[in-house]
């Protein structure tokens, strides 16, 4: 399970050879807006959109639906909870006492070979570095705050 924070998906592309889809699974009781930002291989922001995902559901978009028609070199997508939608404190998240307002989500990318239709699945990786100073330490690395990840 992956917790709130910034999720990073690398290697996304959209061209004649490969197309990528990006998905968010909202595993909470609150419908939530997510800000999804796409960057090229050099780290230049190409597009940033807000997408709503209903409670206990999932949504998936191709890169064109996220504002990027073509991305021929592998880029990255970052996903965060829209702070105007939900206010949460990553340093005070008690996984033993979650209430119905707590937003938790998973993210993923799938890369599809346009010739064979073979797909690769990639779960989103949580990045807690932005909260290290706020919390005094990185919650994903030391056990302070939430510790959810596919990659523990």
């Amino acid at each position: 399970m992956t917790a709130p924070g910034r999720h990073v998906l690398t290697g996304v592309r959209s061209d004649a050879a490969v197309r990528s889809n990006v998905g968010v699974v909202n595993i909470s009781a609150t419908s939530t807006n997510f800000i999804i930002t796409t960057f090229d291989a050099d780290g230049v922001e190409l597009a940033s959109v807000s997408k709503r995902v209903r409670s206990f559901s999932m949504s998936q978009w191709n890169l064109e639906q996220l504002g990027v028609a073509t991305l021929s070199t592998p880029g990255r997508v970052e996903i965060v909870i829209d702070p105007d939608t939900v206010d949460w404190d990553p340093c005070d998240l008690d996984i033993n006492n979650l209430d119905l307002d707590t937003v938790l989500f998973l993210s993923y990318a799938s890369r599809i070979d346009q010739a064979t239709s073979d797909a690769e699945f990639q779960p989103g990786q949580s990045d807690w570095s932005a909260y290290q100073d706020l919390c005094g330490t990185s919650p994903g690395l030391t056990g302070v705050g939430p510790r959810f990840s596919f990659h523990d």
Side-chain angles (χ1 to χ4, degrees):
M1 187 182 314
T2 305
R6 181 172 65 120
H7 290 210
V8 179
L9 299 157
T10 58
V12 297
R13 286 178 52 190
S14 181
D15 58 28
V18 176
R19 74 179 189 277
S20 295
N21 296 318
V22 173
V24 173
V25 182
N26 183 357
I27 54 175
S28 62
T30 304
S31 292
T32 305
N33 289 344
F34 295 89
I35 298 172
I36 303 172
T37 307
T38 306
F39 299 87
D40 69 10
D42 295 322
V44 175
E45 182 178 317
L46 301 175
S48 186
V49 299
S50 179
K51 295 289 188 178
R52 187 161 190 80
V53 181
R54 295 177 53 178
S55 60
F56 301 117
S57 67
M58 64 185 289
S59 295
Q60 177 176 284
W61 309 273
N62 61 41
L63 292 186
E64 188 170 354
Q65 292 169 313
L66 298 177
V68 179
T70 302
L71 182 58
S72 56
T73 58
R76 79 176 190 278
V77 170
E78 296 182 1
I79 303 171
V80 296
I81 297 171
D82 185 337
D84 292 335
T85 304
V86 175
D87 184 26
W88 62 276
D89 181 352
C91 306
D92 192 33
L93 185 61
D94 181 355
I95 63 169
N96 297 313
N97 296 302
L98 297 178
D99 60 33
L100 291 177
D101 293 330
T102 303
V103 175
L104 298 174
F105 71 101
L106 306 168
S107 65
Y108 65 90
S110 59
R111 286 182 299 275
I112 301 97
D113 182 301
Q114 299 278 46
T116 65
S117 296
D118 291 336
E120 297 175 357
F121 176 82
Q122 174 191 357
Q125 179 64 48
S126 292
D127 177 5
W128 287 97
S129 59
Y131 302 106
Q132 187 163 352
D133 292 337
L134 176 68
C135 301
T137 186
S138 173
L141 297 176
T142 65
V144 176
R147 184 173 169 78
F148 304 113
S149 178
F150 278 118
H151 304 286
D152 280 344

